[in-house]
Structure formats: C-alpha cells, structure tokens
C-alpha cells in the first residue's frame, strides 16, 4: 500500500525526462531549418531588390513543395518507433530505408516537374519582369536539392523513431553553417549572384542528406538490415503517407484562406496578418517539438504493447502542451512592446495588429493541446482519422472565415475564426483520444 504513491510520483518524472530529452533537441532542429531562408535573404538582399524579390517567390514555392511532403518524417517516425518498441531494430531500420527510397523517388518527380515548369510557377505569383528571371534561376537550381531535402525529412523521421533527436539537431546546425559559408563564397567570392545562393543551399542540403545516409547505413549494417529498395515496403510507406498528405494540404488551405481574407480587408490588415502569422508559426515550433516527442514515445509504447503507458504519457504531454501554451501566451503579451516595433513603424498597422495578437495569446493553450494530440495520433499511426478530422475542420473554418468581410469584421474577427479552427481541431482530436480507438498495439498498425 505504501508503494503506490511513490510509483504515481515517479511515472510523471520518467515521462518528463523522456519528453525533455526528445523535445528540446527537436526544437533546436526545427528553429534551425527556417534560418536557411533567412541567411539566403540576408545575403541576396545586398545584391538588389529584384534579386531579393525573386528569392522570396522561389523560396515560397520551394517551402510549399517540401512542406507538402513532411509526411515523410511523420509517417516514418511512427512506423520506426513501433518496431523499436517491439524490439525489432532490424525491421525498424528497414522501414526507415523504405521511407528514404520513397523520398528519393518523390524528389526525382518534383525535379522533373519543376525544371520545365519554373517560369510558369513563378508567373503564378505575378512576379515583375525584373524579379521573374531571378526567381526562375533560383528555383531551377535549388530544385536540384529537393531530393536531398526529402531524404533529410525521411531520415529525420528514422532517427526520431529510434528516439534520437540530437543527431538531427547537430546536422541542422552543421547544415546552417555550411549554407552560410557557401552562400558568401559563391555569391560574392565566385561572383555568381543569386545563382550562387541557390547552389550554396542545394549543396548544403546534399551534405546534410549525405550525413544522414551515413548514419542510417551504419545502423543498417550493424543490425543486418537490407539497404536495397523494396517495392512492397516503398508502397506501404506511400500508403501510410497519403492520409497525412491530405491533412497537411487541408491545413495549408486554412492558412491560404486566412491570408486571402486578410488581403480583402485592406493593406494594413494583410500587413498585420503577415506579422501575426510569422509569430504564430514561431510559437508552433515550440509546440511542435512536444508533438515530435509524442510521435516517437507513443509509437514505441504501442509497439511494445503497453497501452497504459501510452495513455499515461499522452496525459502527461497534454499537461505539457497546456503549460507551454500558457507560457507562450504570456510571453506574447509581455513582449509585445519589444517585438512589434521590429516589424513595423506604421501606427495603423500596429493598431490593427494588437487586438488580433491578443487573440493569439489567449488561444495558445488550445494550440498546445492540439499540437500534442496531433503528435500522439501520428505516433499511433492514426493518419486516416487525422485526415478526416482536418477536412471537417476546413469545412467549418472556410465559410466562417470567408464571411468575415461580409459581416464587417476586421483582422481580430479573422483571428477569432483561426481560434475557432483550433477549437474544432481540439474537439475532434480529444474525442478520438478519449475513445481509445487509436490504441492499436503491435510492430505494425
């Protein structure tokens, strides 16, 4: 009778240690990724405004293309973690190799489309005659690095599934440093201009992919896992990724609709919206780090057949999500006099931004729960439900958001609809986790 309380106190501490050990390095790696574009922007910006405008368009296209395939990381993490929990490291790494081969195939397909279609894609953004040539040049050269980018996603998923988020952090830091050096040398030293920036980024991504492949290949040889492509395994990886692709596209649609509505509200509104969206995305990195820990830990518990352990760690991560959301909300409110002047000196934009920013702060705890439960269900391999839930969320959000201008609402009303979107997501995810239907055990789902 005296031991039960000790166990109840020890279990949360054990979960906390696991979450921190995975989430903190994951956060560092997530933050390092957008720094690639920031470095490119800083270096290319000194070449001239048309070059910077061209970079902005090409970078938006590349970011969208890569983000669509983020399922390579998510699906691989869950699948590998299950096999780790089941004690079959050979099968875990074999599963990871299937994801990497799928990444290479998808990357080759993207190159085949992007190279000839680059002028047309740039034209969709309405690029000026002066910026368009630079955008096409950057897009075509950088697209050669897309297979490496997708391999990085898949290999990151392999290591996360193996409960290793430190290696991705080190690789991300190394890649960031290499990208900065290569950009300076090729843009200014070699005099290649914006093409040098594109080559620097592509080479840095290839170097990152090479490091990941060395790590994974060594693991495969250590555990006797085959490195050859397996058609059935690649097909299974693709099938597991389709629901997560639907989820990601639905989420992208939400963000695009929100930006389109903000643009209809006026210049000050869309400028303020872009600032808030940037901050919202930054907050998402912190919450996504906890979700990544959830993917890895939940997959491992279910692979080991420990449903109670999965429930316990899910409950603990929800507490972490709420706490992180509250902390981020407080930081947004407390730090607003410091960061708002960094983004704009226009008083009209500031006045438009402030009330909407407070909405973001208030809804951060909801976002914390959403990110955590999203990660839990991804770790459980519950992709079909996540896809359906996100489609429901999009169906609720879209008509309400599109009616904001008609109702005479401004940016604050739009961000309340974003809060509604997160609330619907929280409800659908909570209903699923409460039902227990996601608790499917075994090395495969």
């Amino acid at each position: 009778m005296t031991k039960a309380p000790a166990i109840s106190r020890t279990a949360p501490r054990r979960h906390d240690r696991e979450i921190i050990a995975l989430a903190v390095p994951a956060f560092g790696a997530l933050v390092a990724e957008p720094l690639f574009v920031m470095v490119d922007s800083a270096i290319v910006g000194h070449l001239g405004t048309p070059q910077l405008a061209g970079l902005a368009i090409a970078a938006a296209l590349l970011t969208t293309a890569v983000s669509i395939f983020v399922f390579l990381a998510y699906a691989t993490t869950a699948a590998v973690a299950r096999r780790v929990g089941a004690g079959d490291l050979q099968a875990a790494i074999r599963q990871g190799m299937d994801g990497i081969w799928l990444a290479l195939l998808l990357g080759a397909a993207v190159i085949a489309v992007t190279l000839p279609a680059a002028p047309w894609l740039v034209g969709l953004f309405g690029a000026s005659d002066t910026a368009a040539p630079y955008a096409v040049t950057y897009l075509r050269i950088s697209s050669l690095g897309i297979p490496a980018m997708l391999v990085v996603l898949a290999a990151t998923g392999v290591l996360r599934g193996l409960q290793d988020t430190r290696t991705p952090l080190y690789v991300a830091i190394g890649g960031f440093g290499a990208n900065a050096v290569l950009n300076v040398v090729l843009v200014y030293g070699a005099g290649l201009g914006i093409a040098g920036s594109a080559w620097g980024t592509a080479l840095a991504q290839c170097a990152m992919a090479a490091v990941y492949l060395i790590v994974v290949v060594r693991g495969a040889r250590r555990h006797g896992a085959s490195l050859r492509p397996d058609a059935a395994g690649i097909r299974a990886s693709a099938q597991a990724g389709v629901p997560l692709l639907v989820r990601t596209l639905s989420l992208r649609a939400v963000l695009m609709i929100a930006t389109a509505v903000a643009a209809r509200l006026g210049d000050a509104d869309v400028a303020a919206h872009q600032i808030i969206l940037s901050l919202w995305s930054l907050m998402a990195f912190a919450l996504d780090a906890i979700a990544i820990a959830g993917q890895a830990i939940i997959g491992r518990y279910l692979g080991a057949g420990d449903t109670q352990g999965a429930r316990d760690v899910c409950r603990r991560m929800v507490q972490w999500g709420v706490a992180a959301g509250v902390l981020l909300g407080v930081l947004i409110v407390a730090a607003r006099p410091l960061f708002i002047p960094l983004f704009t000196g226009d008083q009209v934009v500031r006045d438009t931004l402030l009330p909407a920013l407070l909405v973001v702060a208030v809804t951060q705890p909801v976002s914390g729960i959403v990110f955590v439960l999203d990660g839990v269900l991804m770790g459980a391999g519950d992709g079909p439900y996540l896809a359906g839930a996100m489609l429901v969320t999009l169906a609720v959000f879209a008509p309400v958001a599109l009616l904001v201008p008609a109702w005479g609402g401004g940016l604050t009303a739009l961000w309340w609809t974003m809060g509604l979107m997160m609330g619907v997501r929280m409800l659908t995810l909570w209903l699923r986790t409460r039902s227990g239907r996601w608790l499917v055990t075994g090395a495969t789902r």
Side-chain angles (χ1 to χ4, degrees):
M1 295 295 292
T2 60
K3 291 183 179 180
I7 293 173
S8 64
R9 288 194 299 269
T10 301
R13 293 196 194 109
R14 185 179 72 253
H15 295 322
D16 289 344
R17 286 193 296 270
E18 283 187 311
I19 294 168
I20 291 171
L22 291 170
V24 172
F27 175 69
L30 289 169
V31 170
E33 291 173 8
L35 292 179
F36 272 74
V37 176
M38 290 180 63
V39 167
D40 289 5
S41 299
I43 294 172
V44 171
H46 290 286
L47 295 175
T49 300
Q51 289 90 334
L52 184 58
L55 170 65
I57 294 168
L61 286 165
L62 287 166
T63 301
T64 300
V66 174
S67 65
I68 287 174
F69 297 113
V70 73
F71 69 84
L72 289 166
Y74 293 158
T76 305
T77 297
V80 171
R82 274 186 174 271
R83 285 163 173 78
V84 169
D88 192 347
L89 289 176
Q90 183 185 77
I93 296 174
R94 175 64 260 179
Q95 177 73 39
M97 287 304 306
D98 292 335
I100 290 172
W101 280 112
L102 176 62
L104 288 169
L105 291 173
L106 291 173
V110 172
I111 288 179
V113 171
T114 304
L115 287 178
W120 177 77
L121 292 170
V122 169
L124 289 178
F125 277 71
S128 67
D129 292 339
T130 54
Y134 295 112
V136 171
T137 296
Y138 191 94
L139 181 59
R140 279 180 167 160
I141 296 173
S142 292
S143 68
L144 299 177
I146 285 180
M149 295 179 194
L150 300 190
V151 166
V152 167
L153 285 177
T156 299
V158 175
L159 295 180
R160 288 174 182 170
L162 293 171
Q163 318 295 296
D164 176 10
T165 56
R166 289 183 179 274
T167 299
L169 171 61
Y170 300 147
V171 175
I173 293 172
F176 168 71
N179 180 60
V181 172
L182 286 168
N183 266 260
V184 171
V185 170
L186 296 175
V187 172
Y188 298 116
L192 296 179
I194 195 170
S197 178
W199 280 116
T201 299
L203 291 172
Q205 292 286 352
C206 288
M208 292 172 65
V211 172
Y212 273 120
L213 289 175
I214 290 171
V215 173
V216 174
V217 168
R218 284 179 177 174
R221 289 176 175 171
R222 187 182 311 120
H223 297 286
S226 173
L227 298 173
R228 294 180 179 179
D230 176 66
I234 294 171
R235 186 164 53 251
S237 294
Q239 290 171 347
V242 168
L244 295 181
L245 175 61
V246 172
R247 168 202 166 274
T248 300
L249 290 175
S250 300
L251 182 56
R252 297 292 301 184
V254 165
L255 299 178
M256 289 175 63
I257 290 170
T259 300
V261 170
R264 292 171 61 187
L265 297 175
D267 290 347
D269 293 88
V270 74
H273 174 75
Q274 184 57 38
I275 294 170
I276 296 174
L277 192 60
S278 298
L279 292 169
W280 190 74
S281 299
L282 180 61
M283 300 300 104
F285 284 131
L287 300 176
D288 202 27
I290 304 174
I292 287 169
Q295 294 171 31
I297 297 171
I298 291 295
R300 193 187 77 231
Y301 271 104
L302 293 179
D306 187 355
T307 57
Q308 187 56 50
R311 285 185 182 276
D312 291 343
V313 77
C314 173
R315 188 178 303 111
R316 190 60 174 173
M317 281 188 292
V318 168
Q319 294 170 356
W320 270 78
V322 172
V326 171
L327 177 60
L328 291 173
V330 171
L331 285 175
I332 290 172
V333 174
R336 70 189 189 281
L338 299 176
F339 64 75
I340 289 179
L342 297 176
F343 287 98
T344 180
D346 189 325
Q347 191 59 47
V348 176
V349 175
R350 291 186 184 186
D351 292 342
T352 305
L353 183 152
L354 186 57
L357 190 63
L358 295 177
V359 174
V360 175
V362 169
T363 56
Q364 279 303 296
V366 174
S367 296
I369 296 173
V370 168
F371 273 83
V372 166
L373 294 182
D374 207 41
V376 166
L377 295 183
M378 281 187 191
D382 207 9
Y385 182 83
L386 289 172
M390 197 63 225
L391 286 172
V392 169
T393 301
L394 176 60
V396 173
F397 168 80
V400 177
L402 292 172
L403 285 173
V404 166
W407 290 341
L411 188 66
T412 302
L414 175 60
W415 274 92
W416 275 120
T417 66
M418 290 289 283
L420 169 67
M421 179 270 294
M422 296 302 286
V424 173
R425 288 187 71 190
M426 183 179 72
L427 177 61
T428 57
L429 297 174
W430 175 76
L431 289 173
R432 185 63 168 182
T433 52
R434 187 184 181 191
S435 73
R437 294 176 183 174
W438 57 282
L439 292 165
V440 179
T441 59
T444 58
R445 183 179 172 87

